């Protein structure tokens, strides 16, 4: 009986093990079934597909739209077409990327009224690419753009076009976009009458205007914008458009406080450009109205053309010298630019700038970024400059060739001294970083 009981127990145990193994086999099979089951991509929520599409490059987005009808519907949703950059070049003469003509036709046909943030990037210098940009502009009759940028990565492009053709296309946007807030149109034949059209239709909404190198615009034209666009907060233009009247218009009680003013002071031919002088009283009124404004000035002048500048105090905060600048001019910078935050000097003569840097450190109490290119400074003077500025120098880009070893410091020692006064590890640059 005992032996029989053991046999039964053994059989029951074997049966139990078999049942358990079979159960495990079923579970494994079920798990495998779950893993290999393919998701139903077509039934994803449109909001999910829309978020995915927003991260895809345009070409990948177009390919994804061919997956199914649901994805194609998302591809044409207005939210995907509010922001668009047209890249234009001539494929026959360039290997650079371009927006496909068929896609442009589709956008004009189905999404022109959805466009709000648009830029045209002409990536070659051909007249044909600029004409293509104007043709697209002239068809945006149903649009209501908020931002528009015309960008030429290679000049002259837009300047090669007949002025009337360009103005006609641009006016279409100005007339139909009643809420334009940002306009960037550098290196274009825009003129005073077209600016009047801009103001007539968008004076209440325009906040940013960037239009350097626009030779057909006069000081009166830009003054018209400042007089009527009281919400303008950022402005970029060439120095020849800057006037006492413009600064006073930007300083009126009706006008909001300007946040950013960029002035390009450019001379193409030495001795042939006459630069006027802005009165100190105009600068004073301007800075009193907008005390926190960033005044950025880019100088591309020859040495003999600096005479009208830095003769009295001006509220410049960011100062860039793109060509060689003399010791005398840099000395005047220290005396006349107390609000200076950033200074970049690409080149100077072979005379050390020791005294000039010390003067700048003494008088420019807000200086936090400095870049020196083809200049010369003694190691001792540079250490003293850094010591005076201290830890507020968040950016210090100095070419190794700038520093001249002297009796007190060599190039190895200056690394430790400068790092100590900055409160962080610092090395001279091998290449300029600006």
């Amino acid at each position: 009986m005992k032996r029989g009981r053991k046999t039964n127990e053994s059989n029951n145990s074997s049966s139990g093990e078999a049942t358990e193994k079979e159960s495990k086999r079923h579970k494994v099979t079920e798990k495998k079934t779950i893993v290999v089951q393919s998701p139903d991509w077509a039934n994803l929520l449109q909001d999910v597909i829309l978020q995915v599409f927003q991260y895809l490059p345009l070409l990948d987005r177009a390919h994804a739209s061919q997956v199914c009808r649901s994805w194609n519907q998302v591809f044409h949703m207005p939210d995907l077409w509010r922001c668009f950059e047209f890249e234009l070049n001539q494929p026959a003469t360039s290997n650079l990327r371009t927006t496909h003509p068929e896609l442009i036709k589709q956008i004009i046909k189905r999404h022109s009224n959805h466009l709000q943030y648009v830029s045209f990037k002409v990536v070659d210098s051909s007249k044909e690419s600029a004409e293509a940009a104007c043709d697209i502009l002239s068809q945006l009759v149903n649009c209501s753009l908020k931002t528009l940028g015309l960008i030429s990565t290679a000049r002259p492009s837009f300047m090669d076009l007949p002025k009337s053709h360009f103005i006609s296309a641009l006016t279409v946007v100005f007339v139909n976009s009643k809420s334009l807030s940002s306009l960037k149109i550098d290196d274009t034949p825009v003129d005073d009458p077209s600016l009047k059209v801009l103001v007539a239709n968008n004076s209440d909404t325009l906040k940013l205007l960037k239009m350097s190198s626009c030779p057909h615009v006069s000081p009166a034209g830009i003054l018209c914008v400042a007089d009527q666009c009281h919400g303008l907060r950022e402005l970029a233009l060439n120095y020849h458009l800057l006037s006492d009247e413009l600064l006073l218009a930007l300083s009126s009680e009706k006008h909001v406080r300007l946040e950013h003013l960029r002035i390009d002071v450019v001379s193409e031919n030495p001795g042939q450009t006459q630069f006027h002088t802005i009165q100190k009283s105009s600068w004073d009124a301007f800075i009193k109205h907008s005390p926190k404004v960033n005044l950025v000035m880019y100088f591309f002048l020859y040495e003999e053309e600096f005479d009208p500048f830095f003769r009295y105090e001006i509220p410049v905060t960011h100062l860039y010298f793109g060509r060689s600048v003399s010791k005398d001019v840099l000395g005047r910078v220290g005396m006349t630019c107390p609000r200076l935050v950033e200074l970049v000097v690409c080149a100077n003569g072979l005379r050390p700038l020791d005294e000039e840097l010390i003067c700048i450190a003494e008088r420019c109490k807000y200086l936090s970024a400095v870049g020196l290119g083809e200049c010369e400074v003694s190691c001792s003077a540079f250490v003293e400059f850094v010591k005076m500025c201290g830890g507020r120098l968040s950016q210090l880009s100095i070419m190794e060739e700038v520093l001249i070893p002297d009796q007190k410091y060599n190039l190895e020692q200056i690394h430790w001294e400068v790092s100590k006064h900055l409160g962080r590890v610092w090395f001279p640059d091998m290449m300029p970083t600006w």
Side-chain angles (χ1 to χ4, degrees):
M1 291 296 292
K2 290 182 180 179
R3 185 178 302 170
R5 191 181 303 118
K6 288 182 179 180
T7 302
N8 290 336
E9 288 177 356
S10 175
N11 290 338
N12 290 337
S13 175
S14 300
S15 176
E17 290 178 0
T19 304
E20 184 177 354
K21 288 181 180 180
E22 188 67 24
S23 176
K24 288 182 178 179
R25 190 180 301 115
H26 280 302
K27 288 182 179 179
V28 171
T29 305
E30 289 175 2
K31 288 183 179 179
K32 287 183 179 180
T33 303
I34 292 173
V35 171
V36 300
Q37 183 179 359
S38 60
D40 188 357
W41 296 101
N43 288 331
L44 284 176
L45 294 176
Q46 284 195 339
D47 288 345
V48 175
I49 304 173
L50 180 62
Q51 291 181 24
V52 173
F53 273 35
Q54 287 174 337
Y55 286 100
L56 292 178
L58 178 62
L59 186 60
D60 293 341
R61 192 190 301 171
H63 288 157
S65 71
Q66 300 174 18
V67 169
C68 62
R69 181 179 299 176
S70 177
W71 285 36
N72 187 263
Q73 290 174 349
V74 174
F75 179 69
H76 291 290
M77 291 179 67
D79 286 350
L80 281 178
W81 299 99
R82 300 193 194 286
C83 180
F84 194 85
E85 180 179 78
F86 293 92
E87 292 185 301
L88 303 167
N89 68 33
Q90 299 306 301
T93 58
S94 172
N95 294 322
L96 297 172
R97 185 171 57 183
T98 186
T99 306
H100 197 280
E102 289 301 320
L103 178 58
I104 293 175
K105 290 180 181 179
Q106 188 178 68
I107 292 172
I108 297 299
K109 182 179 179 180
R110 301 186 61 170
H111 302 293
S112 62
N113 59 325
H114 301 148
L115 296 173
Q116 293 184 2
Y117 310 94
V118 175
S119 62
F120 292 83
K121 187 176 182 181
V122 178
V123 296
D124 59 7
S125 58
S126 69
K127 179 180 177 181
E128 291 77 10
S129 296
E131 286 179 339
C134 287
D135 289 341
I136 298 171
L137 273 175
S138 63
Q139 297 179 67
L140 299 181
V141 293
N142 297 320
C143 71
S144 183
L145 298 187
K146 292 184 178 179
T147 70
L148 172 64
L150 301 181
I151 305 166
S152 297
T153 58
R155 297 181 181 182
S157 59
F158 288 110
M159 293 302 298
D160 278 348
L161 298 178
K163 179 184 170 185
S164 58
H165 179 44
F166 176 83
I167 296 300
S168 175
L170 193 62
T171 301
V172 169
V173 176
F174 289 171
V175 170
N176 289 281
S177 299
K178 304 298 184 181
S179 56
L180 195 63
S181 63
S182 174
L183 180 62
K184 300 178 182 180
I185 45 175
D186 291 346
D187 300 297
T188 65
V190 62
D191 59 6
D192 290 359
S194 57
L195 288 183
K196 289 183 178 179
V197 176
L198 168 69
V199 169
N201 292 276
N202 300 273
S203 62
D204 294 335
T205 58
L206 190 65
K207 295 181 179 179
L208 182 150
L209 177 60
K210 189 174 184 292
M211 45 178 300
S212 296
S213 302
C214 297
H216 300 296
V217 175
S218 73
I222 197 69
L223 180 60
C224 172
V225 176
D227 269 336
Q228 300 186 47
C229 297
H230 298 144
L232 195 65
R233 296 182 181 275
E234 298 185 40
L235 180 62
L237 66 164
N238 285 88
Y239 184 80
H240 77 273
L241 296 178
L242 185 67
S243 65
D244 294 292
E245 292 79 11
L246 176 61
L247 287 177
L248 294 176
L250 295 171
S251 307
S252 69
E253 293 183 2
K254 294 181 180 179
H255 206 287
V256 299
R257 290 181 174 87
L258 206 67
E259 297 173 358
H260 191 95
L261 175 61
R262 169 176 166 160
I263 307 295
D264 292 342
V265 192
V266 182
S267 172
E268 301 292 345
N269 302 305
Q272 298 184 15
T273 305
Q274 297 295 323
F275 292 97
H276 60 285
T277 301
I278 301 296
Q279 296 180 17
K280 184 178 183 301
S281 58
S282 301
W283 283 122
D284 290 343
F286 173 68
I287 202 64
K288 182 179 180 181
H289 180 73
S290 301
K292 296 183 179 180
V293 66
N294 286 318
L295 175 57
V296 184
M297 298 188 76
Y298 283 80
F299 281 87
F300 297 90
L301 301 184
Y302 297 94
E303 188 171 328
E304 62 272 16
E305 297 174 316
F306 276 100
D307 190 62
F309 302 99
F310 307 109
R311 291 298 180 183
Y312 53 81
E313 190 172 299
I314 58 173
V316 61
T317 57
H318 298 71
L319 190 54
Y320 304 90
F321 293 101
R323 292 178 181 155
S324 182
V325 58
S326 68
K327 279 172 62 72
D328 176 61
V329 171
L330 289 175
R332 283 158 34 199
V333 166
M335 301 298 292
T336 60
C337 305
R339 297 180 74 245
L340 195 62
V341 172
E342 182 172 7
L343 173 66
V344 173
V345 181
C346 290
N348 177 253
L350 298 178
R351 299 167 60 192
L353 300 176
D354 295 4
E355 296 177 359
E356 290 71 24
L357 275 184
I358 298 300
C359 177
I360 289 172
E362 287 178 342
R363 300 181 65 89
C364 302
K365 301 298 184 181
Y366 305 102
L367 189 67
S368 62
V370 175
L372 298 179
E374 297 178 13
C375 308
E376 286 190 358
V377 180
S378 71
C379 286
S380 294
F382 183 66
V383 170
E384 183 63 21
F385 167 77
V386 175
K387 182 179 179 181
M388 295 173 68
C389 293
R392 74 169 187 266
L393 281 176
S394 59
Q395 297 181 35
L396 187 60
S397 178
I398 308 297
M399 297 290 291
E400 190 176 71
E401 294 80 3
V402 169
L403 302 171
I404 308 302
D406 52 28
Q407 295 180 349
K408 195 170 183 181
Y409 299 103
N410 58 34
L411 290 179
E412 292 183 4
Q413 293 170 323
I414 200 173
H415 150 63
W416 297 106
E417 279 297 312
V418 172
S419 297
K420 179 178 68 177
H421 294 301
L422 288 179
R424 66 180 187 277
V425 177
W426 178 87
F427 288 96
D429 293 323
M430 301 302 294
M431 295 291 291
T433 57
W434 58 83

